[in-house]
């Protein structure tokens, strides 16, 4: 039922004043990119197996990875849209072009190699050889880095979500009682950092000391990266030069890429459940990443977040849920599907609530 609701919610987002054909223009590049990736997967599958069935199996796995990435990254697209809507059209296009290159080669290819290299004390070339020649061992090493990855990603996403709710200027509340209560603490300087640090220490008590040190250290680095990106954005916006706008766009772009990467941590690791081949995983997840970016652009240009007033709130609640699940996963394994469906549930509830509000307040609906 939740999957059906997600499909209906997606349809509601697409059902704006534009025609279906006009809406599909946002996904033309994604479909072209998909065909290219599936073609490469077919070539890869034939080279590995030399059979038609092996080729089709490789293409199928690649397609499934793409579908899963899209379906489980619905909240990612909404959150991206909240950041991207304040960027110029030029930087929006760069998010779709430069951003996808970073997502494909940076997050889906280089990042796992760097993690494996650090964990196994290998240089990137040796890590790549390991991925090609011994994919099972490569996957095992990457999965072994789970605690550190969850510490970093959970901290960064936790700060993103808490910053949205610890905001005194926030005058629209979805879960009114809780959100109004949180705004009362907005005057406390860096309250979100305090909450995340306490959460790190709390979770660390339930895992062995050596793993706890890794978890806390990674979490602190997540906090540091968040603070540095925030500071960079402020500095670039305040700089009084003719290139201020471009530099501010660059700061937001960097923030958006790190945010996008944090969302995809668990997806990169979870993909090994379907395949141990690094290149199949890269191709499949890249298809999903491209569609998520196209969906983000569509949400921005169709002004969807304004039309559905609680949709943004649902996305940030989904972020907090994902952050909490990342922390919890260091104590107990949590399937990726569960994290994706919980995020989707928040989006669906926020969308339905927004539709209901629009019906009850037609005079206030733009």
């Amino acid at each position: 039922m939740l999957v059906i609701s997600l499909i209906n919610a997606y349809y509601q987002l697409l059902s704006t004043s534009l025609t279906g054909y006009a809406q599909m223009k946002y996904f033309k590049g994604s479909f072209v990119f998909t065909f290219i990736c599936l073609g490469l997967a077919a070539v890869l599958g034939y080279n590995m197996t030399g059979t038609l069935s092996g080729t089709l199996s490789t293409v199928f796995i690649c397609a499934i990875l793409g579908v899963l990435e899209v379906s489980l990254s619905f909240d990612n697209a909404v959150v991206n849209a909240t950041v991207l809507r304040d960027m110029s059209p030029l930087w929006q296009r760069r998010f779709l072009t430069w951003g996808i290159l970073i997502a494909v080669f940076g997050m889906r290819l280089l990042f796992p190699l760097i993690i494996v290299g650090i964990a196994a004390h290998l240089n990137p070339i040796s890590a790549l050889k390991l991925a090609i020649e011994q994919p099972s061992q490569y996957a095992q090493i990457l999965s072994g880095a789970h605690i550190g990855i969850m510490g970093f990603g959970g901290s960064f996403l936790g700060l993103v979500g808490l910053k949205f709710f610890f905001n005194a200027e926030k005058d629209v509340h979805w879960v009114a009682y809780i959100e109004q209560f949180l705004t009362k603490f907005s005057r406390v300087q860096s309250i979100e950092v305090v909450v995340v640090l306490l959460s790190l220490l709390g979770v660390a008590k339930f895992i062995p000391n050596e793993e706890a040190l890794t978890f806390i250290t990674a979490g602190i680095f997540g906090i540091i990266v968040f603070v540095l990106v925030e500071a960079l954005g402020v500095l670039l916006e305040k700089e009084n030069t003719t290139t201020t706008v471009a530099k501010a766009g660059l700061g937001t772009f960097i923030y958006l890429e790190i945010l996008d990467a944090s969302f995809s941590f668990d997806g990169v690791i979870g993909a090994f459940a379907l395949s141990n081949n690094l290149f199949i995983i890269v191709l499949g997840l890249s298809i999903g990443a491209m569609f998520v970016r196209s969906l983000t652009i569509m949400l921005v240009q169709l002004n969807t977040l304004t039309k559905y007033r609680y949709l943004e709130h649902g996305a940030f609640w989904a972020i907090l849920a994902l952050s909490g699940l990342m922390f919890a996963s260091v104590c107990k394994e949590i399937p990726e599907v569960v994290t994706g469906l919980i995020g989707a549930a928040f989006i669906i509830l926020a969308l339905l609530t927004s539709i209901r509000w629009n019906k009850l307040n037609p005079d206030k609906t733009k």
Side-chain angles (χ1 to χ4, degrees):
M1 292 299 295
L2 186 55
V3 175
I4 295 175
S5 298
L6 177 59
I7 295 173
N8 290 333
Y10 181 74
Y11 175 77
Q12 288 283 353
L13 289 177
L14 293 178
S15 301
T16 59
S17 57
L18 295 182
T19 64
Y21 175 78
Q23 291 163 356
M24 288 304 295
K25 71 179 182 180
Y26 295 101
F27 300 94
K28 287 181 179 178
S30 295
F31 282 115
V32 172
F33 185 79
T34 298
F35 289 132
I36 293 173
C37 288
L38 292 180
L40 292 173
V43 173
L44 182 63
Y46 184 78
N47 287 334
M48 289 190 304
T49 65
T51 64
L52 177 61
S53 60
T55 301
L56 293 177
S57 176
T58 302
V59 172
F60 179 73
I61 292 174
C62 183
I64 290 297
L65 284 170
V67 172
L68 287 175
E69 180 77 355
V70 174
S71 61
L72 300 178
S73 299
F74 198 72
D75 50 349
N76 188 3
V78 178
V79 173
N80 285 347
T82 66
V83 179
L84 199 66
R85 64 182 175 182
D86 296 325
M87 298 174 71
S88 67
L90 174 62
W91 279 102
Q92 290 179 7
R93 290 193 297 272
R94 286 174 177 173
F95 171 74
L96 196 59
T97 53
W98 298 0
I100 193 61
L101 291 176
I102 294 173
V104 172
F105 296 105
M107 188 58 210
R108 271 75 182 179
L109 180 61
L110 292 180
F111 174 76
L113 291 174
I114 291 172
I115 294 297
V116 170
I118 293 174
H121 305 289
L122 299 172
N123 60 55
I125 301 301
S126 298
L128 180 60
K129 290 181 178 179
L130 182 67
I132 297 173
E133 299 171 359
Q134 297 176 278
S136 298
Q137 185 179 351
Y138 173 86
Q140 184 178 4
I141 295 173
L142 183 61
S143 298
H146 174 79
I147 290 178
I149 294 173
M150 294 301 102
F152 181 94
S155 293
F156 187 88
L157 290 179
L159 289 172
V160 171
L162 290 173
K163 184 183 176 183
F164 176 78
F165 293 109
F166 289 131
N167 183 0
E169 298 179 359
K170 181 171 169 288
D171 54 2
V172 176
H173 304 291
W174 180 37
V175 187
Y177 179 80
I178 298 177
E179 294 184 19
Q180 288 174 354
F181 175 75
L182 292 177
T183 57
K184 295 179 181 179
F185 295 91
S186 59
R187 295 180 182 178
V188 180
Q189 191 72 21
S190 302
I191 180 64
E192 63 272 13
V193 175
V194 174
V195 172
V196 171
L197 282 173
L198 290 175
S199 300
L200 285 170
L201 292 173
V203 173
K205 291 183 178 297
F206 295 95
I207 55 180
N209 290 339
E210 185 177 345
E211 294 181 349
L213 179 60
T214 300
F215 176 72
I216 292 176
T217 303
I220 290 175
F221 273 106
I223 294 172
I224 291 173
V225 170
F226 178 86
V227 172
L228 289 177
V229 172
E230 287 281 298
L232 177 64
V234 172
L235 288 174
L236 293 179
E237 288 176 2
K238 287 184 176 180
E239 189 174 319
N240 187 20
T241 68
T242 56
T243 59
T244 297
V245 175
K247 289 183 177 180
L250 175 61
T252 306
F253 178 82
I254 293 172
Y255 172 80
L256 195 57
E257 289 303 317
I258 296 176
L259 178 64
D260 185 62
S262 299
F263 267 102
S264 61
F265 282 151
D266 55 343
V268 172
I269 296 176
F272 283 93
L274 292 177
S275 173
N276 281 336
N277 188 292
L278 173 65
F279 301 105
I280 294 175
I281 291 174
V282 169
L283 290 173
L285 296 183
S286 297
I287 291 173
M290 188 64 180
F291 271 98
V292 169
R293 275 163 168 69
S294 297
L295 178 58
T296 299
I297 294 293
M298 189 197 74
L299 293 176
V300 171
Q301 295 189 0
L302 298 188
N303 207 23
T304 305
L305 296 180
T306 300
K307 295 175 182 177
Y308 301 102
R309 67 188 266 127
Y310 299 125
L311 192 58
E312 182 179 7
H313 295 68
F316 280 96
W317 275 112
I319 283 181
L320 287 181
L322 178 56
S323 174
L325 288 169
M326 281 182 161
F327 281 176
S329 68
V330 303
C331 302
K332 184 176 179 61
E333 183 177 354
I334 299 175
E336 184 188 354
V337 173
V338 173
T339 62
L341 291 179
I342 288 177
F346 277 110
I347 298 295
I348 292 168
L349 290 173
L351 177 62
L352 294 177
T353 309
S354 299
I355 293 172
R356 181 174 180 273
W357 189 92
N358 289 344
K359 290 180 179 180
L360 294 176
N361 303 273
D363 54 321
K364 297 181 181 180
T365 304
K366 296 182 179 181

